[in-house]
Amino acid sequence: MSEAAPVSQFHFDPETYLAMVLSEVPDYERLQDEVAAASAGRAVARALDLGAGTGETSRRVLAAHPAAALVALDESDGMLAAAREHLPADRVDFVVGRLEDPLPTGPFDLVVSALAVHHLDGPGKQELFARVAGVLAPGGRFVLADVVVPDDPADVVTPVDDEYDQPSRLPDQLAWLRQAGLSPTVTWHHLDLAVLTADHPA
């Protein structure tokens, strides 16, 4: 379950991916709405979607920022092919790449990622956050929406695959974002889903 995965992306079928996520992820639509809301009201000329998958997050970000151009990155060309079908070609560059690879050249006013980063282990997340900080423009924002390990095991409601999924605790991710030089805030949290923003110092 993800928008992208370091190793597992290719076990997803782009044609059935969205239906699968809608059936497995409680509040998926709310999660996506919260990503767009977390980026609203900001001047965004250039955005990056990490683990863009079939383009659901990219579509909402572009709608919230009609003047923005966006780079959609995913390790699966098949997923990006599905994204190309409903994202505007004149506003989006499609890049095949893994989350562990060097990121597209910044600066970006906005970096978003939905349901992708939980495929990285703790050190992998920490390293990615440092690279995200490196491509954010001064005053830019990183919006991370993902599965987290909740304090109460009863709040685990999103199915995860032990082979591919490695969600982390929210406090750990906040600490790693701070270590990357960003200022993080939890903007939405429900059960085992969360949306965080992390701002680059202006």
Side-chain angles (χ1 to χ4, degrees), residues 120-129 166-168 176:
L120 301 175
D121 61 14
K125 293 182 181 76
Q126 189 173 13
E127 196 268 340
L128 174 64
F129 295 165
Q166 303 182 74
S168 297
W176 297 331

Side-chain angles (χ1 to χ4, degrees), residues 73-136:
L73 181 144
D74 198 277
E75 80 160 15
S76 168
D77 189 54
M79 298 290 268
L80 289 179
R84 287 186 184 94
E85 295 180 4
H86 63 91
L87 294 178
D90 61 335
R91 297 178 63 194
V92 181
D93 289 328
F94 298 91
V95 176
V96 176
R98 305 184 311 151
L99 296 181
E100 302 96 326
D101 295 338
L103 298 178
T105 302
F108 294 97
D109 306 298
L110 176 68
V111 177
V112 299
S113 185
L115 299 176
V117 175
H118 71 274
H119 289 285
L120 301 175
D121 61 14
K125 293 182 181 76
Q126 189 173 13
E127 196 268 340
L128 174 64
F129 295 165
R131 286 186 289 116
V132 167
V135 299
L136 272 177

Side-chain angles (χ1 to χ4, degrees), residues 3 7 12 16 23 32 58 63 92-93 104 114-116 120 137 142 157:
E3 286 283 342
V7 234
F12 294 122
T16 59
S23 68
Q32 292 284 7
S58 295
V92 181
D93 289 328
L115 299 176
L120 301 175
F142 176 35
V157 296

Side-chain angles (χ1 to χ4, degrees), residues 1-4 12-13 16-29 31-32 54 56 79 114-115 158-159 193:
M1 176 275 307
S2 85
E3 286 283 342
F12 294 122
D13 179 351
T16 59
Y17 174 76
L18 182 58
M20 180 268 289
V21 171
L22 286 169
S23 68
E24 290 191 356
V25 181
D27 294 314
Y28 174 78
E29 293 288 348
L31 182 81
Q32 292 284 7
T54 56
E56 288 302 308
M79 298 290 268
L115 299 176
T158 303
L193 295 176

